[in-house]
Amino acid sequence: MDDETIKKAIRAYETKQRKDKEKYERNRLDPEFRRRNCERAKQYYAENKEHCQALYRKRSEVTKAKSLYRYWESKGKDLTKIKEKHPDKYTILKQHGFKNLDTN
């Protein structure tokens, strides 16, 4: 692909995104649109209930670990002790990029 083709594809994508956003902004307060959107969301959840619950459980553990980290940080506690007291949450935090757990 040459530069002109790439630029044309990017412009087309940006135009489509802009038009979709404008269409959503026009319709988002329409009661019929809201009803259909709510039905679509309920149907998706009903069809993918196990998947949604698994995602919730996974995100729940990460959220709890982050909450613990923020609590310890706000209270001025030694963050290196999270590893000793909460090893499971420590591993979750390490997997999600919290690097300053070992040094304080």
Side-chain angles (χ1 to χ4, degrees):
M1 288 186 139
D2 60 344
D3 286 342
E4 191 59 39
T5 308
I6 294 171
K7 288 178 183 177
K8 184 178 178 182
I10 291 172
R11 279 195 306 269
Y13 173 76
E14 289 172 345
T15 303
K16 184 178 181 332
Q17 290 293 103
R18 190 182 75 251
K19 286 183 179 181
D20 287 346
K21 183 174 174 127
E22 289 171 357
K23 180 181 176 184
Y24 172 76
E25 288 299 323
R26 276 194 313 270
N27 293 330
R28 74 184 180 103
L29 298 177
D30 179 31
E32 181 63 23
F33 174 78
R34 292 180 96 157
R35 185 188 60 74
R36 285 193 323 260
N37 203 28
C38 185
E39 287 176 7
R40 191 171 30 252
K42 285 180 183 178
Q43 180 183 1
Y44 174 82
Y45 181 76
E47 292 172 359
N48 300 290
K49 197 168 195 165
E50 293 82 25
H51 175 70
C52 293
Q53 288 174 348
L55 269 178
Y56 174 80
R57 282 190 295 275
K58 180 180 177 187
R59 291 177 183 160
S60 167
E61 291 300 317
V62 173
T63 303
K64 288 177 186 176
K66 286 181 180 180
S67 178
L68 175 76
Y69 173 81
R70 288 189 203 106
Y71 173 78
W72 278 50
E73 191 176 46
S74 71
K75 298 296 180 186
K77 294 184 176 189
D78 185 11
L79 295 175
T80 58
K81 293 189 179 178
I82 290 179
K83 185 176 185 176
E84 300 165 12
K85 292 192 174 192
H86 306 280
D88 52 336
K89 291 183 179 171
Y90 172 80
T91 55
I92 291 171
L93 289 170
K94 281 302 235 185
Q95 290 171 351
H96 283 81
F98 285 80
K99 293 180 176 34
N100 57 345
L101 291 169
D102 296 324
T103 59
N104 196 7

